[in-house]
Every structure is written in C-alpha cells, then in structure tokens.
Amino acid sequence: NISSADKFEQELESLQKPKDYTVKFSFPLTSELSLPILEIKNVSFRYDKDSDFLFKNLDFGINMDDRICIVGTNGVGKSTLMNLIMSELQPTEGEIITNRHLRIGRFNQHFVDKLPTHLSAVEYIIQEFPNEKEGNIRSMLGKYGLSGNTHLIKMNDLSGGQKARVQLLLMSLNNPHIIF
C-alpha cells in the first residue's frame, strides 16, 4: 500500500529534468572542388519593380573551408539571401556562380514538417537511399542520437527533435560540400 506522500514523491521524481547528453554529428568528407565554389557577383535583389531593394551590389564568395554566420532582425533578408544562393530565387541584377559539382545541404526547422508522417525513419531513408542496408541505417540513426526504439515508429509520433535528427542524417547522406 503506497501512501499519498510516496505517490507525490514518485510523481515529483518523474517530472525532474532528464539527464543531459551529448550527440556529435559527423558529416563525411567530400571531394575538393575547384574554385569558385560559390560566387556572388554584384547581386542586387528586390521582389518586384515597385519594392525597395533588399540587397544592392553584393559581392562575395564562399569556399569549402569557410564558416559563415548570417544574423539579423526579422525581415532584413536572411532567408531571401539563402533562397538566392540555393537558386530558389533569381537576382534582380548580377549573377550567382556555383561550381557545377557543388552539393548543398540545407537544414531548416520547417523541413521536419515535410517528412512523410506515415513512414518510420528507417522506411523513409530506405526509400530515399535504396542501396543502404537497414542495419547500417539504424547504426547511423543511433549516431545521430535517435534511440533504437524510435527507428521504426512512424514519424508522425516522433518529437520535433527526433524528426530533426532524421533530417540531419538525410542531409549527411547526400554528402554536401556546403551546409546551410
């Protein structure tokens, strides 16, 4: 017979913060590409002829060893710049030159919402990479911090963080030269 004080103690223990843990993501080495990897030359952009330019005369390049952080307040054009670099938008003026062998990986918090909810992580990765063996996929998922009992659960029932790990693994399997 458990007293109400013991029940309260058990409930309190179950609400305590779980242990912190570390997950190390590793991405495979890629082949070196000849320059330019990605070059933005005199790029200006506005959405239509009646709007102001978000960018004028941008001129920079990105190489394989670069580590870049883009910060700014909402609405200043961070996502627009990414969309220009990813060729989802075209510059109003100037040009963006990419090496024809360049593979870009893009991780976005909203991409996890586009995962097929009716498939498990293993089923989806096999669908995208049919030459991968299930055991290898499960091993990789584990390295990305997704515990074994979640590998076969439909993605609809995974947490946002678990879906993000699936998305990171998928990006890694594409062996990108640049990650946004």
Side-chain angles (χ1 to χ4, degrees):
N1 193 359
I2 298 176
S3 71
S4 60
D6 289 336
K7 279 186 180 178
F8 178 75
E9 186 73 30
Q10 288 174 347
E11 288 177 21
L12 187 59
E13 284 178 23
S14 70
L15 294 176
Q16 290 180 358
K17 180 182 172 193
K19 279 189 160 184
D20 288 337
Y21 62 96
T22 302
V23 177
K24 291 185 179 185
F25 298 111
S26 62
F27 293 93
L29 294 175
T30 60
S31 57
E32 288 290 322
L33 296 176
S34 60
L35 298 175
I37 304 299
L38 192 132
E39 191 173 5
I40 288 75
K41 293 176 90 174
N42 202 29
V43 167
S44 298
F45 180 80
R46 62 182 173 185
Y47 281 100
D48 58 54
K49 63 182 172 105
D50 297 324
S51 63
D52 293 335
F53 279 93
L54 280 173
F55 311 111
K56 280 194 83 71
N57 305 320
L58 287 180
D59 210 11
F60 67 94
I62 299 174
N63 295 314
M64 290 182 66
D65 293 334
D66 290 339
R67 304 293 181 261
I68 300 169
C69 180
I70 300 173
V71 295
T73 58
N74 289 343
V76 297
K78 299 179 300 292
S79 295
T80 300
L81 178 59
M82 291 293 106
N83 289 333
L84 283 164
I85 291 171
M86 301 285 297
S87 298
E88 292 173 11
L89 292 172
Q90 297 304 311
T92 306
E93 299 170 359
E95 63 181 326
I96 298 175
I97 301 166
T98 59
N99 183 298
R100 64 188 175 103
H101 299 291
L102 177 66
R103 288 182 307 275
I104 297 176
R106 185 173 187 180
F107 180 82
N108 181 314
Q109 63 191 10
H110 303 295
F111 282 9
V112 297
D113 297 331
K114 296 180 181 176
L115 292 171
T117 57
H118 66 286
L119 296 176
S120 71
V122 170
E123 290 168 335
Y124 182 51
I125 293 169
I126 286 174
Q127 177 182 298
E128 296 297 308
F129 296 91
N131 293 330
E132 289 291 340
K133 303 271 187 255
E134 182 176 336
N136 189 36
I137 291 170
R138 292 185 70 145
S139 173
M140 289 185 288
L141 286 167
K143 289 178 184 173
Y144 277 74
L146 203 63
S147 61
N149 63 336
T150 59
H151 296 178
L152 301 175
I153 294 173
K154 302 297 181 209
M155 283 194 264
N156 190 51
D157 296 324
L158 296 179
S159 71
Q162 291 167 326
K163 291 175 188 174
R165 292 163 196 266
V166 173
Q167 192 64 43
L168 282 167
L169 175 56
L170 282 167
M171 184 175 56
S172 170
L173 288 170
N174 283 311
N175 203 13
H177 296 99
I178 296 175
I179 298 172
F180 291 117

